[in-house]
Amino acid sequence: MKIAIITGASSGLGRAFVRRLGRDTALDAIWAIARNEANLHALAALSAVPVRALPMDLTDADATARLTALLAAEKPVVDVLICAAGFGKIAKTAELLLAEQTNMIDLNCRAAVAVTAACLPYVRKGSRILEICSTAAFQPMPRLGVYAASKAFLQSYTKTLHHELLCSGVHVTAVCPYWIKDTGFIPRAQGDDRHSYGRFFLASRADTIARWALVDSRLNLWVSTPGPVCAIHRLIAKFVPHFIMVPLMELLRHVI
């Protein structure tokens, strides 16, 4: 049995990946993981491939144990793994609750690593792993400090995994999009912050990011920058020191 596993699948970018991979007739099933069980069951209408709803809260350590047990029992080939579950909060670090900070680290870092580790015994030559990072991974970000740090960790982890699996024929890609406007991420991240980022200028759409990222994963790029803004940001961040980039972003966030 050849399957795709998608976390954060019930909405936003994860849902867009379900729609895209739902056209892949080489797959026998898509295992969709998220907390919202009703939204997971609704995914069946978007996909020609059978969707198996796995309602789990990945911040609960028992969730990964359940996934590991399920994989061990059914022994599928994990053809595609997409870790799209994530959480962000826009505010000064001192203004965030401790639980908000640790939850970001837990979901964005620990859960992604745990799910990937559970799936690695079941990937084969030609399998693809996509870890959804962010353009925030390229530098420290004012009012997104913990989120950016968590995505920097995930990008570094993914690059190492890409190198380690290169000779096995498994493709591993860190996907680093800019703002995505047709998901719930922006309003949830903003909350009541009245000093947030501005107009989210040139924000992308989830389906565009999913399509672009899947192409980049087939090319086995270790970093996918699915759009002009994140591509430019990545290039600039390679050459401009962080002590310049951080205050520059503080100025730019009012217009982007």
Side-chain angles (χ1 to χ4, degrees):
M1 179 172 63
K2 186 182 289 188
I3 67 168
I5 297 179
I6 304 174
T7 70
S10 64
S11 62
L13 187 55
R15 188 173 184 268
F17 278 116
V18 171
R19 186 191 297 272
R20 283 273 158 190
L21 291 178
R23 305 168 187 172
D24 187 350
T25 54
L27 291 172
D28 296 302
I30 296 173
W31 291 11
I33 298 174
R35 291 181 300 175
N36 191 313
E37 185 171 3
N39 285 357
L40 286 176
H41 287 297
L43 295 173
L46 303 178
S47 174
V49 177
V51 177
R52 183 171 185 173
L54 299 176
M56 297 180 186
D57 182 351
L58 292 175
T59 61
D60 183 350
D62 290 341
T64 310
R66 287 170 52 204
L67 177 61
T68 300
L70 185 60
L71 287 165
E74 302 203 10
K75 295 180 172 57
V77 172
V78 178
D79 191 55
V80 183
L81 168 63
I82 301 174
C83 291
F87 164 63
K89 190 71 176 177
I90 301 172
K92 288 184 178 179
T93 304
E95 296 170 352
L96 292 171
L97 299 175
L98 176 60
E100 292 173 326
Q101 298 181 57
T102 56
N103 284 347
M104 273 188 274
I105 296 168
D106 198 33
L107 183 57
N108 299 350
C109 301
R110 187 203 62 78
V113 171
V115 169
T116 303
C119 293
L120 283 179
Y122 305 95
V123 301
R124 299 293 182 266
K125 183 178 181 179
S127 293
R128 294 181 287 158
I129 298 172
L130 292 83
E131 304 284 355
I132 307 305
C133 302
S134 165
T135 190
F138 300 145
Q139 66 161 94
M141 298 284 286
R143 303 192 80 86
L144 278 170
V146 176
Y147 176 78
S150 72
K151 293 303 186 176
F153 166 89
L154 189 58
Q155 181 192 214
S156 178
Y157 164 79
T158 307
K159 285 180 173 180
T160 300
L161 195 61
H162 173 100
H163 170 77
E164 292 173 345
L165 296 180
L166 189 60
C167 293
S168 69
V170 176
H171 293 193
V172 184
T173 300
V175 182
C176 298
Y178 180 58
W179 297 110
I180 307 173
K181 58 187 171 186
D182 57 338
T183 72
F185 179 88
I186 291 175
R188 285 196 299 268
Q190 279 183 304
D192 297 324
D193 191 331
R194 294 292 176 260
H195 304 283
S196 181
Y197 285 75
R199 296 173 294 174
F200 304 99
F201 183 58
L202 295 178
S204 301
R205 293 191 175 275
D207 186 66
T208 301
I209 299 301
R211 182 179 71 250
W212 197 321
L214 288 170
V215 170
D216 286 348
S217 75
R218 288 195 181 278
L219 296 173
N220 201 19
L221 302 184
W222 74 344
V223 175
S224 168
T225 47
V229 177
C230 49
I232 293 169
H233 185 189
R234 181 187 178 194
L235 180 63
I236 293 173
K238 282 181 178 291
F239 299 103
V240 180
H242 285 172
F243 77 87
I244 296 175
M245 289 293 290
V246 174
L248 178 62
M249 189 57 67
E250 182 67 45
L251 294 173
L252 289 177
R253 71 179 178 82
H254 297 289
V255 296
I256 63 171

